[in-house]
Amino acid sequence: MLGPPGAGKGTYASRLNTILGVPHISTGDIVRDEIKAQTELGKKIKKYSDKGELVPDEIIIQLLKERLEKPDCGKGFILDGFPRTISQAEALDKISNIDVVLNLNVPDEIIVTRLSNRVTCRKCGAIYNLLTLKPKREGVCDNCGGELYQRHDDNPDVIKERLNVYREKTQPLIDYYKKKRLLKDVWCKDLMTPPETVVEKILEILGETGKN
Ligand code: ADP
Ligand code: ZN
């Protein structure tokens, strides 16, 4: 899944995980878990993530490699938040075969509104939105009863920086995958479009490419 922060990568990927039965691998979640566990590596990468900057390629590539080696990836996987740079994409080409790249197109206004209203479950990582995708009980996860919190990189200054980083470092991947004929565009122009509608479009695309 390719797209700017707040495009819905995590939301759609977690639904596709349930439908397709292949793991949803979010490098953002891997980074946050590492920070939460306060490992040496976690301490090192916190300073990047706090500012909305990318964690250095060598580190994130290593973390992803370790994740892809786990047995549940044998029948496929959905990547969310990786690759984010050309050099990550080249590394990925060496360790795996990517079938389809879904490029989520979302206008900037929607992104900022979405991210400022996003809350995440501390326990299971489920994503909610206080405007469009409210939990049934305020502050409590529908899935697991866990506490909902606002990510501290979801504040206006850090959001702006993450969008800058996306344009500079990640957007070039659109051409990279276009050239490989793997890119499929998905559009979401309306803040109120329910995730199910976009997921349906994605399943259609996967059907057409024979990857469903
Ligand atoms: P977003 O909502 O901005 O897509 P993520 O949850 O995917 O955010 O990632 C959160 C943070 O984790 C990023 O700002 C970055 O610091 C780090 N990170 C996640 N994936 C990568 C990656 N592939 N390369 C470098 N840094 C990453
Ligand atoms: Zn939960």
Side-chain angles (χ1 to χ4, degrees), residues 5-6 9 27-28 31-32 48-49 52-55 60 81-82 84 88 118 151 153 162:
K9 300 186 293 291
T27 45
V31 163
R32 281 184 290 279
Y48 300 100
S49 152
E53 287 169 10
L54 294 182
V55 170
I60 203 85
F82 190 98
R84 283 259 231 295
Q88 289 179 20
R118 170 162 82 177
R151 272 171 50 180
D153 58 349
R162 281 155 63 207

Side-chain angles (χ1 to χ4, degrees), residues 2 83 85-94 98 101 169-183:
L2 192 61
T85 63
I86 296 281
S87 120
Q88 289 179 20
E90 288 168 350
L92 182 62
D93 283 340
K94 292 200 187 104
I98 296 304
V101 177
K169 305 251 170 73
T170 309
Q171 223 163 11
L173 289 176
I174 294 177
D175 269 341
Y176 180 90
Y177 285 118
K178 241 185 216 163
K179 282 194 189 121
K180 289 183 179 284
R181 299 180 169 277
L182 293 178
L183 198 85

Side-chain angles (χ1 to χ4, degrees), residues 165-212:
V165 170
Y166 173 77
R167 286 199 191 97
E168 187 192 327
K169 305 251 170 73
T170 309
Q171 223 163 11
L173 289 176
I174 294 177
D175 269 341
Y176 180 90
Y177 285 118
K178 241 185 216 163
K179 282 194 189 121
K180 289 183 179 284
R181 299 180 169 277
L182 293 178
L183 198 85
K184 299 283 171 191
D185 280 301
V186 181
W187 301 86
C188 181
K189 292 186 191 132
D190 183 351
L191 183 65
M192 301 312 284
T193 304
E196 289 69 26
T197 310
V198 182
V199 168
E200 257 165 47
K201 275 195 250 173
I202 293 176
L203 289 172
E204 242 169 63
I205 293 173
L206 295 181
E208 284 162 13
T209 55
K211 298 301 174 194
N212 180 11

